[in-house]
């Protein structure tokens, strides 16, 4: 018998029966650490997350090692990892060189990451808004020809620290171009966490109006202003069923200083449990993993649920 607190399950109309959790802690979380986490710790983190029942674990990035030194060990990590049946380990790739490296590591799922704004395309990809598509197009074509699944992110889909609020129509235009290239999923990234629930609905609606099917949309909220869970609920009400989150609320973007951690997977799972929405994860195992990871990083997890359930 469990002795810990549990949410009472009370379902409500207009929500999906199941949500797919796309776990980004090992990539989005660890790319932002000041120090490089040892590769064995990364592998153990991913193995523990798989043990906790998560089935999509974004593992790392094949980006330029000088741009993100924290993930320079991508190939070594994929070698070390126990890749489990039924667990998908997508990786970020920005360009042909990244795809070559990912293919050498035997990955089955890659993600390109576009920007909705000119300034961030420049800062994060060293490309103009328009030129980023020329970089991604051959990656998507080659990856699909090799039988890989391809996800696309649109970063700064809500606000940009240099350009301010971003028009939903602009996000939809970028998203549509990525889907037309052959990407199968579009993750809407609130990189700096400025979005609010009505805004989340507007961005999703704009993408759907631009012919992106709602079941191809994922949401990726950073929790900088405490809005991530509210935004997620708004997205679920709009028909979205894939939610990005990071164990323990790790996260950020090294090229967007105002970005903090992602929506914590544990906070998401608590809400889904309360709503009676299935997700396949074991909350106790997640909390245990995040407490262990916080010990490795030397600071407590920002997740409210991790704090509450670990007495921290
Ligand atoms: P660049 O300097 O313009 O690259 O960087 P280039 O194409 O001019 O190539 C220069 C040299 O780099 C060449 O070597 C390439 O081979 C090498 P040389 O011929 O001079 O010896 N090179 C590479 N080496 C290893 N792996 C590669 C690679 N590419 C080129 N993949 C580039 C352009 C895109 C590579 C660079 O800007 C980059 O790596 N950016 C990544 C930034 C990043 O990872 N940001 C964080 C992820 S995005 C995010 O967190 C947001 C998200 O979570 C969603 C949200 O929150 O909104 C996804
Ligand atoms: Mg992110």
């Amino acid at each position: 018998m469990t002795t810990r607190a549990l949410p009472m399950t009370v379902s409500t109309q207009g929500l999906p029966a199941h949500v797919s959790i796309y776990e980004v802690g090992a990539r989005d979380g660890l790319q932002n650490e000041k120090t490089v986490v040892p590769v064995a710790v990364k592998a153990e983190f991913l193995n523990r997350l798989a043990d906790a029942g998560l089935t999509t674990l974004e593992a790392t990035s094949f980006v330029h090692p000088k741009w993100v030194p924290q993930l320079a060990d991508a190939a070594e990590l994929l070698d070390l990892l126990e890749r489990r049946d039924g667990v998908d380990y997508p990786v970020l790739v920005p360009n042909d060189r990244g795809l070559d490296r990912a293919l050498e590591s035997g990955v089955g799922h890659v993600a390109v990451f576009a920007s909705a704004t000119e300034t961030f395309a420049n800062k994060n990809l060293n490309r103009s808004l328009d030129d980023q598509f020329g970089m991604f197009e051959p990656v998507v074509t080659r990856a699909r020809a090799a039988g890989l699944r391809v996800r696309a992110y649109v970063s700064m889909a809500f606000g940009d620290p240099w350009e301010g609020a971003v028009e939903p129509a602009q996000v939809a235009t970028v998203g549509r171009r990525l889907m037309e290239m052959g990407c199968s999923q579009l993750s809407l990234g609130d990189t700096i966490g400025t979005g609010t629930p009505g805004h989340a609905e507007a961005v999703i609606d704009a993408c759907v109006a631009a012919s992106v099917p709602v079941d191809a949309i994922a949401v990726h909220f950073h929790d900088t202003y405490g809005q991530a869970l509210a935004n997620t609920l708004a997205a679920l009400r709009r028909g979205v069923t894939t939610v990005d989150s990071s164990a323990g609320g790790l996260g950020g973007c090294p090229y967007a200083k105002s970005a903090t951690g992602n929506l914590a997977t544990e906070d998401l799972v608590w809400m889904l449990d309360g709503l009676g929405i299935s997700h396949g994860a074991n909350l106790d195992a997640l909390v245990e993993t995040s407490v262990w990871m916080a010990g490795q990083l030397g600071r407590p997890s920002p997740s409210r649920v991790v704090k509450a359930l670990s007495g921290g």
Side-chain angles (χ1 to χ4, degrees):
M1 205 184 83
T2 179
T3 52
R4 73 153 166 87
L6 288 168
M8 178 172 157
T9 300
V10 184
S11 13
T12 171
Q13 298 285 309
L15 291 172
H18 179 81
V19 160
S20 301
I21 300 176
Y22 184 105
E23 167 65 42
V24 297
R27 192 280 303 171
D28 208 343
L30 301 186
Q31 76 179 8
N32 209 39
E33 284 303 310
K34 287 199 173 55
T35 52
V36 179
V37 174
V39 68
V41 173
K42 292 177 179 173
E44 183 170 348
F45 184 41
L46 286 160
N47 291 337
R48 283 176 177 246
L49 293 172
D51 288 340
L54 295 172
T55 52
T56 306
L57 302 175
E58 196 168 76
T60 185
S61 299
F62 286 93
V63 297
H64 196 297
K66 282 199 194 125
W67 282 64
V68 185
Q70 293 90 336
L71 304 183
D73 56 9
E76 206 188 328
L77 173 62
L78 288 175
D79 268 356
L80 204 61
L81 201 59
E82 280 166 37
R83 282 187 249 181
R84 317 263 175 98
D85 286 344
V87 181
D88 190 19
Y89 297 94
V91 298
L92 256 55
V93 293
N95 56 10
D96 269 323
R97 177 80 189 101
L99 180 62
D100 290 341
R101 292 173 57 212
L103 289 170
E104 280 164 27
S105 288
V107 308
H109 190 172
V110 294
V112 295
F113 48 103
S115 170
T117 67
E118 191 67 54
T119 313
F120 192 62
N122 205 275
K123 291 195 185 284
N124 199 45
L125 298 164
N126 200 23
R127 296 291 180 279
S128 69
L129 183 67
D130 222 39
D131 287 348
Q132 66 180 340
F133 298 107
M135 181 164 76
F136 297 139
E137 191 135 35
V139 174
V140 178
T141 306
R142 281 178 58 218
R144 291 190 69 215
L148 272 55
R149 270 201 289 155
V150 188
R151 158 184 258 226
Y153 284 96
V154 185
S155 293
M156 303 299 172
F158 292 80
D160 172 299
W162 302 278
E163 297 187 17
V166 177
E167 278 305 318
Q170 189 178 334
V171 178
T173 304
V174 170
R176 184 186 175 138
R177 278 186 77 169
L178 294 163
M179 294 304 283
E180 283 171 351
M181 273 180 205
C183 297
S184 58
Q185 192 172 63
L186 187 71
S187 178
L188 302 171
D190 187 5
T191 323
I192 59 167
T194 51
T196 48
H199 191 176
E201 290 175 3
V203 176
I204 293 162
D205 290 351
C207 289
V208 171
S211 304
V212 180
V214 75
D215 57 6
I217 295 177
V219 286
H220 179 106
F221 294 115
H222 285 261
D223 204 25
T224 324
Y225 298 94
Q227 304 298 301
L229 204 50
N231 293 344
T232 300
L233 183 58
L236 299 184
R237 287 200 190 286
R238 274 297 195 265
V240 170
T241 56
T242 302
V243 178
D244 298 5
S245 62
S246 79
L250 298 170
C253 176
Y255 292 97
K257 288 301 167 217
S258 38
T260 64
N262 293 77
L263 167 64
T265 307
E266 292 85 350
D267 297 8
L268 172 64
V269 163
W270 182 277
M271 181 179 80
L272 296 178
D273 283 345
L275 289 165
I277 297 173
S278 66
H279 50 74
N282 176 323
L283 183 55
D284 295 313
L286 284 174
V287 170
E288 210 177 290
T289 299
S290 291
V291 168
W292 167 82
M293 196 62 198
Q296 299 294 322
L297 298 174
R299 58 166 195 284
S301 157
S303 157
R304 305 294 287 265
V305 170
V306 172
K307 277 187 198 148
L309 293 186
S310 65

